[in-house]
Amino acid sequence: MSGRTPALTPPDSALAPVRHPDAPAPGEPIGTHYEHCFGCGDEQPHGLHLAARAGEGVSVTAEFLVRPEHQGAPGLAHGGLLATALDDTLGALNWLLRVISVTGRLETDYLRPVPVGTVLHLSAEVTAVDGRKIYATAEGRLNAPDGPVAVRADALFVEVKVEHFTENGRPEEIQAAMDDPDQIRRVRAFEVNP
């Protein structure tokens, strides 16, 4: 995307991203990282219920239906909610790199209104990696993967350790995630940007 701020422009020393050998195969669903996540969680009644899939290279696709509870202006998706959808889709890229990271910066461009009833088709890819910094870009299209672009974002994610979550999250949620008998779900709760 043109017009990136310096904070979102990878330095010349940045490397091309490398898909981890244990990453989900292209076309495979990525699933939720935490059942109560507003973006992808199944247990959030008003959440986006974002459905993400691994793409080729270090990319993902996702989609969600804009429902009445997602509106800001009458009949239109709330801009902050659209930024959330982009952020959650970008966060799903962590599954392909097999790292834990959090959003450091997210710049969003709103190009078209997104009406209630729209299915927003999102795509995201990692563009570069520089140490703990992960540079990525995403866009959302109206009603089809090749529909008109409605929103775009550039992002900088920063790799962190699991202690970022265990030391800063609410103790009751952290303990519930740690006590989950499903080992895969327990690990996933801390593997993707919240």
Side-chain angles (χ1 to χ4, degrees), residues 61-145:
T61 60
E63 60 184 55
F64 81 97
L65 172 64
V66 179
R67 299 188 315 265
E69 56 268 29
H70 299 148
Q71 60 193 313
L76 297 174
H78 188 286
L81 180 124
L82 296 173
T84 299
L86 289 162
D87 185 47
D88 205 81
T89 303
L90 288 156
L93 291 164
N94 293 324
W95 288 106
L96 305 180
L97 297 173
R98 301 291 288 187
V99 299
I100 303 170
S101 72
V102 294
T103 310
R105 186 175 189 103
L106 178 72
E107 289 188 11
T108 306
D109 294 316
Y110 301 91
L111 307 171
R112 296 176 187 271
V114 180
V116 169
T118 298
V119 175
L120 194 64
H121 292 262
L122 299 131
S123 60
E125 69 176 331
V126 175
T127 58
V129 177
D130 185 44
R132 294 178 47 223
K133 295 180 179 180
I134 301 164
Y135 296 86
T137 188
E139 67 180 17
R141 294 175 174 265
L142 301 175
N143 293 316

Side-chain angles (χ1 to χ4, degrees), residues 38 59 73 112 117 182:
F38 185 79
S59 70
R112 296 176 187 271
D182 184 331

Side-chain angles (χ1 to χ4, degrees), residues 49-65:
H49 303 148
L50 212 68
R53 293 190 172 279
E56 298 292 332
V58 188
S59 70
V60 297
T61 60
E63 60 184 55
F64 81 97
L65 172 64

